C-alpha cells in the first residue's frame, strides 16, 4: 500500500514537473520571440539623384472681387510652365518653375499703373486712353489685359507618405502638395508698365507614372499677390488672386532611388544580439543543425513563434525570418516529424489568423523545401490554451507526430 501511495505521489510530482517545465518553456518563448524593434528609417541619396523635369500646358485666371464682372470663359487664358525638381527624400522635395500667361480682369476704380510714371500726367492716363480707343466706357471701369512671367520656388511634400509608411517608393499614383513663393513680372503691354511683385503659392499635384521614367500629372493651385500687380490704383493693402491649373508630362532624369538605412536604439540592438547569441549556442550535429537540443514530444509548443504587425498579414522580416529558419532546421533534422502551424486567434479574428499561418507555411515550403504534407494549418487562442500572455498577433508551432 505504501508503495502504491509513493508511486502516486511521484507521478503527481512528475506531472507537476512536466507542467512547470512546459510553463517555463512557454515563458522563455514569449521573452525571446516578442522583441519589438523601433527602427528609425533614413533614406539617403547623392545630390545628383532623383531629379526630374516637367513641361506643362496651363490655364490661369484672375480672382479679384471686381473680376467677376467678366465671365469665367473670358477670364480663363492659356499659359505654359517648365519645371526642374528634385526629391531629397520619399516625403519631400523642391522645384523651380518658370511660366508665362495672359490675364484678363476688370477694374472699376481709378485707372493707370502708378500715380507718377513717364506715360501718365494730370488729365491723361495711357491705360484709359487705350481702352477708350477699344470702345470701352472707362467711366464704369475698364478691362485689364496683362502679359506676365513668373519664376517660382516650391517645397513639395508627398501626401500619401504623410499618412502611411506602406509602399513609399514604388507607386503608380502619387499625390503631392506644395507651398512656395514666386516673383511675378508684368510686361509693358496695353498701357501697363513693368511691374514686379512677390506672390505666395499653394496647391495640389496628382501624378501617374506611365513608365519608370515618364509620367503624366495634373495640378491645381492659387497664388496671392499685391493688387497693384494688375495696374490698379488706390487698392491700399488689398490683394489679387490667380487661380491656375496645369496638365503636362514629367520625365525622371539621372539615377533614381534611395539607400535605406535603419537605425536601431542601443538597448534594442543589444536584445537582437542576445537573440542571435542564443541561436549560435544551440546544439549542432556534423553536417546538419537542429533547432532544439532534443526532439520534442507530441503536443509540445516549439520555442520559435512569428510575431506579426497588429491587424496585418505582415511581419518584420529582419527579426522574424530567423524564427521561421529555426523551425525549418528542426524539420530538416527530424525528417519524419510533423507540426501544426497555429494562427493565434487571441486578439485576432480567425480569418486573419489562418492567412498568417498559411503565409508561414508557404515560406517553409518555397524557401526551405519542407513538404507541405508535414504541416497542418490550425487556428485557436494560444494564450487561453497555455495560460500565457505575449502571444498576441503571432503564429506558433506545435508537434503533432
Amino acid at each position: 500500500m505504501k508503495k502504491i501511495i509513493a508511486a502516486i505521489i511521484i507521478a503527481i510530482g512528475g506531472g507537476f514537473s512536466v507542467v512547470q517545465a512546459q510553463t517555463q518553456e512557454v515563458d522563455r518563448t514569449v521573452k525571446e520571440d516578442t522583441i519589438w524593434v523601433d527602427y528609425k528609417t533614413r533614406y539617403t541619396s547623392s545630390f545628383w539623384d532623383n531629379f526630374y523635369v516637367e513641361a506643362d500646358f496651363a490655364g490661369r485666371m484672375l480672382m479679384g472681387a471686381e473680376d467677376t464682372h467678366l465671365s469665367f470663359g473670358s477670364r480663363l487664358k492659356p499659359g505654359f510652365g517648365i519645371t526642374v525638381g528634385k526629391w531629397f527624400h520619399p516625403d519631400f522635395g523642391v522645384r523651380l518653375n518658370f511660366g508665362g500667361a495672359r490675364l484678363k480682369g476688370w477694374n472699376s476704380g481709378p485707372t493707370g499703373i502708378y500715380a507718377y510714371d513717364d506715360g501718365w500726367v494730370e488729365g491723361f492716363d495711357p491705360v484709359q486712353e487705350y481702352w477708350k480707343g477699344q470702345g470701352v466706357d472707362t467711366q464704369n471701369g475698364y478691362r485689364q489685359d496683362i502679359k506676365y512671367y513668373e519664376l517660382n520656388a516650391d517645397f513639395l511634400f508627398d501626401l500619401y507618405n504623410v499618412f502611411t509608411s506602406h509602399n513609399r517608393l514604388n507607386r503608380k499614383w502619387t499625390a503631392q502638395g506644395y507651398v512656395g513663393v514666386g516673383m511675378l513680372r508684368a510686361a509693358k503691354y496695353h498701357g501697363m508698365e513693368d511691374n514686379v511683385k512677390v506672390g505666395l503659392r499653394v496647391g495640389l499635384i496628382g501624378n501617374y507614372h506611365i513608365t519608370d521614367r515618364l509620367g503624366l500629372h495634373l495640378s491645381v493651385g492659387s497664388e496671392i499677390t499685391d493688387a497693384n500687380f494688375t495696374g490698379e490704383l488706390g487698392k491700399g493693402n488689398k490683394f489679387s488672386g490667380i487661380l491656375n491649373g496645369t496638365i503636362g508630362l514629367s520625365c525622371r532624369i539621372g539615377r533614381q532611388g534611395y539607400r535605406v538605412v535603419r537605425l536601431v536604439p542601443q538597448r534594442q540592438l543589444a536584445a537582437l544580439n542576445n537573440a542571435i547569441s542564443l541561436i549560435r549556442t544551440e546544439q549542432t550535429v556534423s553536417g546538419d543543425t537542429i533547432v532544439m537540443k532534443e526532439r520534442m514530444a507530441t503536443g509540445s509548443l516549439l520555442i520559435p513563434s512569428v510575431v506579426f504587425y497588429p491587424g496585418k498579414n505582415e511581419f518584420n522580416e529582419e527579426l522574424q525570418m530567423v524564427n521561421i529558419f529555426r523551425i525549418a532546421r528542426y524539420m530538416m533534422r527530424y525528417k519524419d516529424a510533423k507540426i501544426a502551424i497555429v494562427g493565434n486567434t487571441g486578439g485576432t479574428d480567425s480569418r486573419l489568423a489562418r492567412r498568417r499561418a498559411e503565409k508561414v507555411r508557404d515560406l517553409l515550403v518555397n524557401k526551405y523545401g519542407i513538404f507541405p504534407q508535414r504541416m497542418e494549418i490550425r487556428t485557436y487562442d494560444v494564450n487561453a490554451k497555455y495560460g500565457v500572455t505575449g502571444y498576441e498577433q503571432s503564429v506558433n508551432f506545435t508537434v503533432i507526430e
Side-chain angles (χ1 to χ4, degrees):
M1 184 67 178
K2 292 181 179 180
K3 291 182 179 179
I4 295 174
I5 294 173
I8 292 173
I9 292 173
I10 291 172
I12 293 173
F16 279 127
S17 298
V18 171
V19 172
Q20 185 178 9
Q22 189 173 34
T23 301
Q24 290 175 348
E25 177 185 312
V26 170
D27 289 342
R28 186 158 64 91
T29 302
V30 173
K31 291 177 182 177
E32 288 182 7
D33 296 333
T34 56
I35 301 172
W36 285 93
V37 178
D38 182 22
Y39 287 112
K40 293 183 179 180
T41 304
R42 289 185 179 177
Y43 300 87
T44 63
S45 63
S46 167
F47 175 80
W48 302 108
D49 296 348
N50 302 307
F51 274 90
Y52 68 93
V53 294
E54 293 178 345
D56 304 322
F57 173 79
R60 297 186 174 96
M61 68 168 61
L62 281 172
M63 297 296 293
E66 296 175 349
D67 298 323
T68 55
H69 286 81
L70 300 179
S71 66
F72 182 92
S74 297
R75 284 186 289 159
L76 182 62
K77 295 300 174 184
F80 71 92
I82 300 173
T83 300
V84 177
K86 171 179 169 57
W87 286 92
F88 290 96
H89 185 278
D91 296 353
F92 60 84
V94 296
R95 69 176 184 176
L96 288 175
N97 167 265
F98 175 76
R102 290 180 65 184
L103 295 173
K104 286 289 183 85
W106 183 267
N107 178 31
S108 60
T111 61
I113 307 305
Y114 299 107
Y116 305 98
D117 66 33
D118 293 339
W120 191 94
V121 293
E122 189 67 31
F124 177 80
D125 183 336
V127 177
Q128 187 180 52
E129 294 302 318
Y130 169 81
W131 286 116
K132 284 182 178 179
Q134 300 295 316
V136 176
D137 181 4
T138 57
Q139 291 182 355
N140 297 320
Y142 66 95
R143 295 176 186 270
Q144 298 163 315
D145 193 355
I146 305 167
K147 283 185 177 181
Y148 84 102
Y149 303 94
E150 59 182 346
L151 181 64
N152 308 304
D154 297 325
F155 175 80
L156 306 168
F157 50 95
D158 192 297
L159 294 174
Y160 181 92
N161 290 345
V162 168
F163 298 102
T164 180
S165 59
H166 178 65
N167 193 20
R168 299 171 67 85
L169 301 177
N170 300 308
R171 304 191 307 273
K172 279 289 187 181
W173 289 95
T174 59
Q176 292 128 23
Y178 70 84
V179 293
V181 61
M183 183 179 70
L184 298 86
R185 183 185 184 97
K188 190 172 183 177
Y189 181 69
H190 286 184
M192 290 279 289
E193 297 293 333
D194 287 341
N195 182 12
V196 178
K197 298 295 180 183
V198 173
L200 300 178
R201 297 161 46 84
V202 63
L204 299 172
I205 308 169
N207 301 277
Y208 177 74
H209 299 298
I210 302 171
T211 68
D212 291 341
R213 294 286 180 180
L214 187 64
L216 177 69
H217 64 271
L218 295 168
S219 74
V220 60
S222 62
E223 193 163 4
I224 298 176
T225 188
D226 194 309
N228 289 337
F229 170 73
T230 61
E232 301 177 12
L233 295 177
K235 292 298 181 180
N237 58 356
K238 294 185 179 180
F239 299 93
S240 287
I242 302 174
L243 180 66
N244 62 78
T246 68
I247 182 172
L249 293 175
S250 61
C251 180
R252 299 176 179 179
I253 57 176
R255 188 168 58 182
Q256 301 290 311
Y258 304 89
R259 179 173 175 264
V260 181
V261 179
R262 289 189 172 182
L263 305 179
V264 183
Q266 185 65 38
R267 61 182 180 81
Q268 293 182 333
L269 181 61
L272 288 173
N273 287 334
N274 289 337
I276 293 171
S277 297
L278 285 173
I279 296 170
R280 287 176 176 171
T281 57
E282 289 171 353
Q283 180 180 340
T284 60
V285 177
S286 179
D288 201 356
T289 58
I290 60 174
V291 67
M292 304 298 176
K293 293 185 178 181
E294 59 184 13
R295 182 163 182 165
M296 304 301 292
T298 300
S300 297
L301 183 70
L302 297 183
I303 286 179
S305 66
V306 180
V307 181
F308 283 70
Y309 293 122
K312 296 183 180 180
N313 191 25
E314 299 174 358
F315 54 80
N316 186 324
E317 292 189 3
E318 294 183 48
L319 181 61
Q320 301 301 322
M321 280 301 293
V322 68
N323 292 328
I324 297 177
F325 172 63
R326 295 171 75 186
I327 292 297
R329 289 198 306 176
Y330 180 82
M331 300 293 284
M332 293 174 188
R333 176 64 180 90
Y334 303 108
K335 300 186 185 302
D336 60 336
K338 293 184 179 180
I339 62 170
I341 304 176
V342 183
N344 185 13
T345 58
T348 302
D349 64 81
S350 59
R351 183 178 179 183
L352 177 57
R354 175 169 290 276
R355 287 172 55 206
R356 289 171 170 175
E358 291 172 346
K359 180 171 184 174
V360 172
R361 178 200 60 194
D362 293 343
L363 284 169
L364 288 169
V365 172
N366 299 324
K367 188 175 181 65
Y368 298 107
I370 307 300
F371 291 136
Q373 295 83 353
R374 299 176 62 193
M375 296 173 283
E376 291 184 7
I377 300 296
R378 298 180 181 177
T379 58
Y380 56 77
D381 190 338
V382 174
N383 302 59
K385 182 171 182 178
Y386 289 96
V388 296
T389 59
Y391 272 115
E392 293 82 0
Q393 314 299 333
S394 66
V395 167
N396 304 88
F397 308 90
T398 62
V399 178
I400 56 177
E401 286 187 27

